[in-house]
Amino acid sequence: MSSVITDPLRQKLLLFAVAFGVVMDGIDGSIVNVALPTMAAAFGTDTGTIAWVIITYLLMMAGLLLVFGKLADRGHAKRLFLLGFLIFTLSSFACGISPSLDILLAARLVQGLGAAMIAAVAPLLCIRYLPGKMLGAALGVIAATSSIGFAAGPAIGGILTQHLSWHWIFLVNIPIGIIGILFAARVIPGDEPEKHTASFDYPGAVTLFGAMVFCTFVLEEVAARGITDPLILTCSALCLLCTGLFVTRELTTPAPFVNIRIFSKWQFTAVTGAYLLVNVIFMGILYLLPFYLTMEMHFDLATSGLYLLIPPAVIAIISVPFGKWSDRRGRRAFAVAACGFIVIYSAIFVVLSPGSGIIPLLASLILMGVAFGIAAGPASSRIIESAPPGEGGTGSSLMVTTIYFGGVLGTAIYAAFFTFATANAGGVVAFTNLDPATFLSGFHVTMAAGLMLSVVPLVLSAIVPDERKQGA
């Protein structure tokens, strides 16, 4: 068992190293968004294809977070954290010098691999090496630094892309990564590998990741290729095959990768589905907004970055107070209110146009932050609280996975709707060849689909009552 750090200075240094990695993950989760129009123009591609720059990164995070979390729990935390930093830094260099979109996407896959290692190990380091009385504050620091990084990403990306080039949104990670590796190597205690009698469920991990990959590919590409395309049909079949194999494996193995029996409790399934859709809608809109700001509002990249800073900045400000408030008042009312705000801002985006002026745009961006800021604590906590007795850990892991996979699905779904809405008789149109009228029409169609989708988490959140606390 690892020794708890008792020296206050070493405690702070460890927490700083963890926060440093998390904030870097957060920045790279959003820094690319504002540069998407520029990258689409540079590579001569459409809005759907360039979405893979986001999808590849988030998909690796969603698919591998549980894997690295379980490996780190076996006594390999420091090794995985440092390896994640190294992979992230080297792949950032590869992203920054990529001469083609294919190479960039391959580098982003590797970058997501490193990011998944960092994100999975960060909370475990706090649990292992910090006193129990510091745990709440430490996990709060992780949440806050992740939000700060995510908030700062668009502004940093806009400034770097406008004044230098899009390549620098990746190259800036190199000196940061080197500093992080050297610092973490000094302050994180050495690993103490532990013996585990249960074998690691590699088949479960592989089939779950495969199901995620094939599902994402079908959702993202079906609008461009058509539902009868051989590749779409093949990937759909592989998605179903991986899903079937995963379910069979998890129900029959004594040590499953994920205990899927947890979904037999309908309340847990409902609140998890609601939180997944909250993330789908938030990230889907955040993916498409930079194109709207560039094409319709004619903002430069630095200005676009500042506008995209609004939702995550609001989240960082209000999420902690609302989380504490829900601890005293119950979760359901806050979750329902958050989903109500999602319906409202989705409706605003359906009718938003340059002629509307700045006020509706600002209002919708603020409401995005308010909705997610309210939902972050209460909605995510409902997942853990609704889990069957003894399955709080599984619920916690699934909650984190839901955040990243929701981002993957949101980007893929909104990209698919927009591609379908803007394609002409000749096929998919490159972003630079879209006229403003066609773009705005596609934007409204996509947001209308998102509006219909936003009703579902509202219903799912409303039908599940708060869990009764013992002694209440």
Side-chain angles (χ1 to χ4, degrees):
M1 183 68 181
S2 300
S3 301
V4 172
I5 298 174
T6 56
D7 179 56
L9 176 60
R10 289 186 60 211
Q11 292 171 349
K12 292 182 177 64
L13 290 175
L14 173 69
L15 189 55
F16 183 82
V18 169
F20 195 82
V22 171
V23 77
M24 190 169 72
D25 265 7
I27 289 174
D28 261 75
S30 63
I31 195 172
V32 171
N33 292 59
V34 71
L36 288 179
T38 300
M39 297 168 76
F43 291 119
T45 191
D46 60 278
T47 55
T49 302
I50 204 65
W52 282 103
V53 177
I54 297 176
I55 292 172
T56 49
Y57 181 85
L58 293 177
L59 184 59
M60 295 298 283
M61 293 280 284
L64 297 177
L65 204 63
L66 287 172
V67 175
F68 291 128
K70 288 181 179 293
L71 291 176
D73 197 34
R74 296 183 170 221
H76 305 291
K78 180 176 183 177
R79 185 179 306 173
L80 283 174
F81 194 75
L82 294 177
L83 183 60
F85 250 118
L86 179 61
I87 291 174
F88 189 94
T89 304
L90 294 176
S91 57
S92 293
F93 177 73
C95 288
I97 64 171
S98 296
S100 68
L101 182 57
D102 290 340
I103 295 176
L104 174 60
L105 294 180
R108 280 287 278 178
L109 281 171
V110 181
Q111 190 182 43
L113 173 70
M117 290 181 178
I118 296 172
V121 176
L124 182 63
L125 289 173
C126 295
I127 293 170
R128 278 179 173 266
Y129 298 116
L130 296 179
K133 63 182 180 180
M134 287 186 64
L135 185 57
L139 296 180
V141 168
I142 290 177
T145 51
S146 178
S147 297
I148 291 170
F150 199 84
I156 296 172
I159 293 171
L160 289 175
T161 305
Q162 180 173 334
H163 296 291
L164 296 171
S165 71
W166 65 262
H167 304 81
W168 283 93
I169 64 179
F170 301 112
L171 295 176
V172 72
N173 290 326
I174 297 172
I176 297 175
I178 293 173
I179 293 171
I181 292 170
L182 296 175
F183 184 75
R186 290 290 302 272
V187 303
I188 298 176
D191 286 329
E192 298 176 14
E194 301 173 4
K195 292 183 179 180
H196 284 254
T197 55
S199 60
F200 188 85
D201 182 18
Y202 289 105
V206 171
T207 50
L208 176 60
F209 186 62
M212 286 182 173
V213 170
F214 292 123
C215 173
T216 302
F217 182 85
V218 171
L219 288 174
E220 216 288 333
E221 293 291 324
V222 67
R225 296 173 180 269
I227 197 169
T228 58
D229 180 81
L231 188 57
I232 294 296
L233 293 175
T234 300
C235 288
S236 298
L238 289 172
C239 176
L240 293 174
L241 176 63
C242 286
T243 302
L245 291 174
F246 171 73
V247 171
T248 302
R249 170 72 183 182
E250 302 311 282
L251 291 176
T252 55
T253 184
F257 180 63
V258 177
N259 181 14
I260 60 174
R261 287 185 173 85
I262 194 174
F263 288 102
S264 63
K265 185 179 179 183
W266 74 268
Q267 294 93 337
F268 177 82
T269 302
V271 296
T272 304
Y275 194 55
L276 175 70
L277 291 174
V278 166
N279 284 277
V280 164
I281 296 166
F282 181 81
M283 285 301 296
I285 292 176
L286 206 59
Y287 146 72
L288 201 52
L289 267 178
F291 295 97
Y292 174 84
L293 298 178
T294 300
M295 175 73 78
E296 300 295 332
M297 301 302 293
H298 305 292
F299 289 163
D300 59 39
L301 294 176
T303 303
S304 294
L306 291 175
Y307 273 84
L308 294 175
L309 177 67
I310 294 173
V314 174
I315 294 170
I317 293 170
I318 73 171
S319 58
V320 173
F322 272 98
K324 291 181 178 179
W325 197 4
S326 72
D327 287 337
R328 301 191 300 268
R329 303 277 182 150
R331 319 285 187 192
R332 180 174 176 268
F334 292 96
V336 171
C339 293
F341 282 122
I342 293 173
V343 173
I344 294 172
Y345 74 66
S346 295
I348 295 175
F349 281 122
V350 172
V351 298
L352 191 67
S353 69
S356 306
I358 298 298
I359 300 302
L361 175 62
L362 287 174
S364 57
L365 290 170
I366 292 172
L367 284 174
M368 284 182 69
V370 170
F372 202 91
I374 295 175
S380 59
S381 296
R382 293 190 96 195
I383 296 176
I384 299 171
E385 291 175 351
S386 297
E391 293 291 350
T394 302
S396 178
S397 298
L398 288 172
M399 181 269 292
V400 176
T401 302
T402 294
I403 295 174
Y404 290 106
F405 194 52
V408 172
L409 292 179
T411 305
I413 291 171
Y414 276 66
F417 273 119
F418 185 80
T419 299
F420 177 79
T422 56
N424 57 28
V428 179
V429 182
F431 172 66
T432 52
N433 294 332
L434 283 175
D435 61 87
T438 301
F439 177 90
L440 190 61
S441 174
F443 182 83
H444 286 157
V445 169
T446 305
M447 294 302 168
L451 174 60
M452 290 186 286
L453 187 65
S454 68
V455 177
V456 180
L458 177 62
V459 173
L460 292 175
S461 297
I463 63 175
V464 180
D466 280 327
E467 293 287 317
R468 288 185 177 272
K469 296 181 180 179
Q470 292 183 351

